[in-house]
Amino acid sequence: MKIALLLGTTAKEARFAKQMGLQQVVWSAPHSEKGYVEWEVFQRARDFFQSYDLELGVIENVAFQSYDQVMLGLPGRDRQIDHFCRTVENMGRAGIPVLGYHWMALGGLTTDYVRIRGGALSRHFDLETALRSPAAAMEWRGSPYPNRPLHVPDRPISSEAMWENLVYFLERVLPVAEASNVRLAAHPDDAPIPEFMGVARILSSLDNLKRLVEIVPSPSNGIDFCQGTISEMPGVDVIEAIRYFGQRGKIFFAHFRDTRGVVPQFTEVFMDEGDTDMFAAVRAYREVGFDGLIRADHTPRVVGDSRHAQRGFAYEVGYMRGLIQAAEFAASLGG
Amino acid sequence: MNLTLIINAWLDEDLMFVQQLGVKHVLAQVDLRQAAAPDWPRESLTLLRNRIEKAAFSMAGIAVVMQSPAVDGFPGSNAPAALDETAALETLVRLIEEAGASGIQLVRPPDELFHFPARQKLPPEKLTLVLNRLAEAAAAAGVKLALPTGGVLSRLKRAQLLAILQPPCLGLDATPALLLALLSELPAAGRAADGSQAEAQGLWDKILLSNLENNLKRGTRPLKTRVDAGAFNIPALCWRLKQAGYSGYLCLGQQPHWSDDSAGGHRALAFGAGYLQAILQANSHFPAL
């Protein structure tokens, strides 16, 4: 597995990654009024990172508004699917192999930022609070554009409808992805609750992630194993989940972070102090032969940190490097 | 083993930062030039120790540096632009006395004290004079000195080094190179030590700090690297330390400065701390010898 970071195309961020010995990066595609991302945009980003000897391995998310009608099953979905396919083709043409996407109609959910170890600030979710103030809980909107308007729903959407819309999308996009040598990696719903404001959140359980990778069989249909989100699911053994999806070759990309607690209440914490045995997780990724990108996901905000939280990410990447080297050493001992 | 960071404990932000990284043991950095300032308050180390303990850290001791890149918050102003070897030695002696008076039990002298003029090792007679002066001060103050082993001391034969370290107040800040060499020669548990094993055991017993830094060999002078990126296999070293029953301080050595980082090198410190946290957590899972 290769440690990566989600970066913008700035010299400072590229230098930061290089100084930590990273070789791979993840990038979010910008929104285009055309509705799809042009090949030149991908190629320029790829060239920029290559100039720092960094490989662009994953596009994490295209703008939500480029496929929101697909997700909601609205009349404009076919045109959006055509655009999505064009984006995928352009990715393939630029040689970028993995596209991470999500299926959260309301985006990510969070309710609070709380003080954790040493007073660092970190994300917290409490379902009771979210139900009391639902609009406020939609802090993330599954988009790199925080200024776009909230989509508080005006109608319920059942899980059957969401599955139908997802299958409709996958059946049309996956053949294009296969032909373009691009793999689609679905992110589980964060927070992993089955429904919010009447809108179903279907990728919110391990069973549903299993269903996702089977419902439209394709070598391009897999998951972004967001270990943090999966650790938030009640009753889930994260290590066994790595083995399940990894042994089937369905982990195309991974996020690495940890939490304390599960739904209905959890707090993101530093990687070294959560509920998951992170060393066991790294050993599990090795065991299943995962050789994709694994990126440091969110980081608690530490004192004096930059806008891009580089002190926090330096700690997390150092921790990941330590675990990976330790796992390699343990393997050399036969352990 | 106790993960220990060298920090500027005069800054609240640095204490908060290290607490957020989950590190509990600190060596407080003291700048020798600042300490030589005419208005350096004599109670500084007592106040420093109070700050560290009030912030719920365990104070391993002080790490004296010749010239810190970041002196924000350090007491004393009008620090001299440079110190000659006599002034450096006498300032360090005074710091040792102040440490003893403050109840601080460990002082790590700066590497440069043994390299006057710069980058030239002290001739043996001068080295002896310096060490005698320091040992005298440390013994009187009830302080132990963790002598850096990466420079001139590394070129001494073991018997010479053991002779120098005879005073109980003198010990070692061991580099990975020394640690690995000693670990490979320690006698097996319960067995009597012969010749070279006895020397290895003698030096092992003198280790007060383990300084985890890394480097790559480049000609005659090693190139300092990030702790994860050099020639030494740190997970292997930590495993062997654990097997040998080492329970002392494991200090993150000086890291190369990153561009765009703060003067205090916070990003590099965070990376190194995260790396060593991971190694120590994983250590408990490694099979025993």
Side-chain angles (χ1 to χ4, degrees), chain A residues 99-165:
Chain A
L99 173 59
Y101 72 100
H102 70 83
W103 207 253
M104 292 181 278
L106 303 181
L109 302 174
T110 199
T111 55
D112 205 353
Y113 284 86
V114 297
R115 296 282 178 186
I116 59 168
R117 185 172 70 194
L121 213 49
S122 196
R123 174 184 167 236
H124 176 76
F125 178 80
D126 180 341
L127 182 58
E128 196 181 305
T129 305
L131 293 174
R132 271 203 311 272
S133 311
M138 289 168 49
E139 187 182 21
W140 307 335
R141 288 166 287 283
S143 158
Y145 300 97
N147 295 324
R148 59 182 291 277
L150 295 176
H151 272 221
V152 177
D154 58 4
R155 70 200 70 183
I157 307 175
S158 67
S159 63
E160 290 76 21
M162 287 293 273
W163 273 112
E164 202 177 288
N165 298 338

Side-chain angles (χ1 to χ4, degrees), chain B residues 108-122:
Chain B
R108 186 200 185 277
D111 297 348
E112 295 90 333
L113 198 68
F114 306 102
H115 295 272
F116 272 108
R119 295 188 188 163
Q120 295 181 37
K121 61 178 182 176
L122 284 181

Side-chain angles (χ1 to χ4, degrees), chain A residues 12-323:
Chain A
K12 274 193 173 179
E13 289 174 87
R15 276 200 300 270
F16 175 59
K18 286 306 291 182
Q19 284 173 123
M20 292 191 289
L22 299 188
Q23 295 174 306
Q24 277 79 24
V25 301
V26 178
W27 187 61
S28 286
H31 175 58
S32 163
E33 292 303 324
K34 292 180 180 176
Y36 60 89
V37 183
E38 293 179 337
W39 167 75
E40 289 83 0
V41 171
F42 288 127
Q43 193 61 41
R44 267 200 303 274
R46 194 164 182 230
D47 289 346
F48 170 83
F49 289 119
Q50 266 181 353
S51 72
Y52 287 90
D53 204 22
L54 292 165
E55 185 187 339
L56 175 50
V58 173
I59 299 297
E60 186 164 339
N61 291 327
V62 292
F64 178 59
Q65 57 263 53
S66 63
Y67 67 112
D68 53 353
Q69 293 169 38
V70 186
M71 202 182 292
L72 302 174
L74 296 175
R77 67 175 176 176
D78 286 330
R79 186 157 181 271
Q80 283 195 337
I81 286 176
D82 286 344
H83 284 158
F84 202 100
C85 289
R86 200 155 169 189
T87 295
V88 169
E89 284 167 343
N90 288 338
M91 266 187 69
R93 193 176 150 203
I96 304 167
V98 177
L99 173 59
Y101 72 100
H102 70 83
W103 207 253
M104 292 181 278
L106 303 181
L109 302 174
T110 199
T111 55
D112 205 353
Y113 284 86
V114 297
R115 296 282 178 186
I116 59 168
R117 185 172 70 194
L121 213 49
S122 196
R123 174 184 167 236
H124 176 76
F125 178 80
D126 180 341
L127 182 58
E128 196 181 305
T129 305
L131 293 174
R132 271 203 311 272
S133 311
M138 289 168 49
E139 187 182 21
W140 307 335
R141 288 166 287 283
S143 158
Y145 300 97
N147 295 324
R148 59 182 291 277
L150 295 176
H151 272 221
V152 177
D154 58 4
R155 70 200 70 183
I157 307 175
S158 67
S159 63
E160 290 76 21
M162 287 293 273
W163 273 112
E164 202 177 288
N165 298 338
L166 177 57
V167 169
Y168 188 90
F169 167 78
L170 290 174
E171 283 176 343
R172 283 149 186 81
V173 176
L174 284 171
V176 174
E178 286 176 37
S180 304
N181 291 316
V182 172
R183 295 186 291 171
L184 301 190
H187 190 290
D189 292 358
D190 194 4
I193 55 176
E195 169 268 333
F196 192 63
M197 287 198 271
V199 175
R201 295 168 70 81
I202 56 175
L203 300 184
S204 56
S205 71
L206 209 60
D207 284 343
N208 282 1
L209 290 175
K210 290 177 182 178
R211 185 181 173 194
L212 163 73
V213 302
E214 289 160 10
I215 202 164
V216 182
S218 163
S220 285
N221 184 16
I223 62 170
D224 168 359
F225 193 93
C226 179
Q227 195 176 303
T229 306
I230 290 171
S231 76
E232 296 157 13
M233 296 175 181
V236 168
D237 181 330
V238 172
I239 312 305
E240 283 308 311
I242 293 171
R243 292 195 178 108
Y244 180 90
F245 290 101
Q247 283 164 358
R248 289 158 177 76
K250 288 302 184 180
I251 301 178
F252 294 164
F253 172 38
H255 286 176
F256 204 68
R257 66 173 168 88
D258 205 11
T259 58
R260 282 200 186 145
V262 295
V263 162
Q265 204 181 87
F266 60 82
T267 304
E268 292 189 11
V269 292
F270 289 99
M271 287 180 184
D272 64 285
E273 59 165 357
D275 292 336
T276 308
D277 181 342
M278 299 298 255
F279 182 55
V282 166
R283 294 180 87 174
Y285 287 117
R286 279 180 57 92
E287 183 189 310
V288 300
F290 173 64
D291 66 352
L293 269 59
I294 181 164
R295 80 164 176 89
D297 198 0
H298 319 145
T299 178
R301 182 155 284 277
V302 300
V303 64
D305 214 344
S306 62
R307 190 167 76 90
H308 291 120
Q310 278 152 342
R311 291 184 183 186
F313 278 118
Y315 180 78
E316 310 257 285
V317 171
Y319 185 77
M320 292 170 75
R321 180 72 47 70
L323 289 185

Side-chain angles (χ1 to χ4, degrees), chain B:
Chain B
M1 286 183 274
N2 301 309
L3 176 57
T4 308
L5 295 184
I6 301 174
I7 66 166
N8 176 357
W10 270 290
L11 284 183
D12 287 354
E13 181 178 300
D14 279 31
L15 289 173
M16 288 181 214
F17 180 59
V18 172
Q19 208 141 63
Q20 288 166 355
L21 301 183
V23 175
K24 296 183 174 56
H25 302 268
V26 299
L27 273 163
Q29 190 175 90
V30 178
D31 184 289
L32 201 62
R33 267 190 334 120
Q34 293 289 127
D39 60 346
W40 168 269
R42 293 306 164 108
E43 71 275 18
S44 295
L45 295 187
T46 301
L47 298 175
L48 183 65
R49 185 183 168 195
N50 286 345
R51 275 175 60 77
I52 290 170
E53 290 178 354
K54 285 277 181 289
F57 286 101
S58 162
M59 185 176 187
I62 61 172
V64 184
V65 298
M66 201 66 103
Q67 191 160 345
S68 172
V71 295
D72 293 347
F74 281 33
S77 54
N78 301 315
L83 293 176
D84 63 27
E85 53 189 293
T86 304
L89 179 60
E90 290 310 314
T91 305
L92 180 58
V93 164
R94 180 167 51 74
L95 278 176
I96 291 169
E97 291 163 358
E98 290 172 17
S102 315
I104 294 169
Q105 296 180 320
L106 181 69
V107 174
R108 186 200 185 277
D111 297 348
E112 295 90 333
L113 198 68
F114 306 102
H115 295 272
F116 272 108
R119 295 188 188 163
Q120 295 181 37
K121 61 178 182 176
L122 284 181
E125 59 279 10
K126 263 202 166 174
L127 178 64
T128 304
L129 281 173
V130 167
L131 288 172
N132 284 346
R133 184 80 180 93
L134 293 178
E136 185 188 342
V143 167
K144 290 200 172 183
L145 302 184
L147 301 178
T149 52
V152 64
L153 296 186
S154 69
R155 299 187 192 100
L156 297 178
K157 292 190 170 31
R158 285 201 186 158
Q160 288 175 298
L161 190 53
L162 278 168
I164 282 172
L165 295 173
Q166 275 201 344
C169 61
L170 294 186
L172 295 174
D173 175 11
T175 59
L178 179 62
L179 289 167
L180 286 168
L182 296 181
L183 284 165
S184 66
E185 293 176 55
L186 290 176
R191 297 179 78 167
D194 62 17
S196 64
Q197 287 180 336
E199 283 182 345
Q201 185 69 58
L203 288 174
W204 177 261
D205 292 340
K206 280 289 187 175
I207 293 175
L208 298 172
L209 283 176
S210 289
N211 189 333
L212 293 192
E213 55 184 28
N214 218 330
N215 56 60
L216 289 172
K217 288 196 191 317
R218 286 284 185 271
T220 56
R221 295 188 65 209
L223 176 69
K224 202 180 281 290
T225 64
R226 286 190 327 264
V227 63
D228 66 302
F232 296 112
N233 183 329
I234 300 296
L237 173 58
C238 289
W239 175 69
R240 293 184 70 183
L241 285 171
K242 180 186 160 198
Q243 297 298 307
Y246 181 75
S247 60
Y249 297 113
L250 210 61
C251 192
L252 176 67
Q254 190 187 9
Q255 298 298 291
H257 191 82
W258 298 7
S259 63
D260 308 316
D261 202 353
S262 62
H266 291 86
R267 293 179 193 177
L269 192 68
F271 181 94
Y275 176 78
L276 291 178
Q277 292 272 39
I279 301 295
L280 293 178
Q281 281 189 350
N283 221 352
S284 60
H285 296 270
F286 292 166
L289 272 171

